[in-house]
Amino acid sequence: MRTVLVSIVIGMGLLIVLGLVALVYGLIQKADNPDFKFFDLSKNAPGIEEAIKDVEVPLVGNKSSQPQTNVSAPAPVKAFGDMRLEIPQGYKVVETDLDSQRLVLRLINDAGINKLMVLDINTGAKLGGLSLHPAQ
C-alpha cells in the first residue's frame, strides 16, 4: 500500500513539473509571437471564429422590438492639423473625456454654470453642447 502512495505522489510531482515546463514554454512562445496557441481549435471547427464574430449580445433591459443592426468598427482617426476652438467667454476647461470618436470638454464659469462641449475627433467639428444650471 505504501509503495502505491509513493508512486502516486511521484507521478503527481512529475505532472506538476511537466505543467510548469509547458507553462514557461507557452509564455516564451507568446512573448515572441502574440498569435501563438497551444491548441488551434479552428482546425476542428473551421467556421467557428466567423460565427462568434457575428453573435450579438442584447443589452440588459433593451425591450425594443426593433431588429438589432450590426455596429461597424469606428473609422480610424485622421490627422486634422492644428485647429482653434472658441471657448465661451468667461468659461475655463476643467475636465476632458475622450472615446474613439468624441472629445467631451467640461467648462465652468465663475457663477458655477457648467457647459459640456462635444467635439468630433476626426474633424474637430463641434457636435453639440449642453448647459448645466443649478436648480432653483
Side-chain angles (χ1 to χ4, degrees):
M1 180 72 175
R2 183 175 177 164
T3 56
V4 173
L5 290 176
V6 169
S7 300
I8 291 173
V9 169
I10 291 173
M12 289 181 164
L14 287 174
L15 286 175
I16 290 172
V17 169
L18 288 175
L20 286 174
V21 168
L23 178 67
V24 170
Y25 173 77
L27 290 173
I28 292 170
Q29 292 298 320
K30 194 70 168 175
D32 290 340
N33 178 11
D35 294 329
F36 173 77
K37 296 178 185 175
F38 265 117
F39 306 105
D40 191 8
L41 300 177
S42 63
K43 294 177 185 173
N44 297 339
I48 193 74
E49 289 182 2
E50 288 79 24
I52 290 174
K53 289 178 185 174
D54 293 337
V55 172
E56 291 184 26
V57 179
L59 297 175
V60 175
N62 186 4
K63 298 181 180 176
S64 66
S65 60
Q66 298 174 353
Q68 298 285 336
T69 58
N70 287 341
V71 177
S72 62
V77 176
K78 300 172 190 159
F80 55 84
D82 295 332
M83 294 185 58
R84 180 184 168 107
L85 177 65
E86 296 290 333
I87 296 176
Q89 189 171 6
Y91 283 87
K92 62 182 177 180
V93 177
V94 292
E95 184 179 357
T96 61
D97 192 13
L98 178 69
D99 71 6
S100 64
Q101 298 294 317
R102 289 173 297 278
L103 171 67
V104 178
L105 301 175
R106 186 168 70 92
L107 312 170
I108 193 166
N109 68 3
D110 293 334
I113 296 176
N114 287 289
K115 280 191 174 200
L116 298 177
M117 290 179 66
V118 182
L119 306 170
D120 185 339
I121 289 297
N122 292 322
T123 63
K126 182 178 175 184
L127 298 175
L130 183 67
S131 292
L132 306 171
H133 297 274
Q136 298 291 333

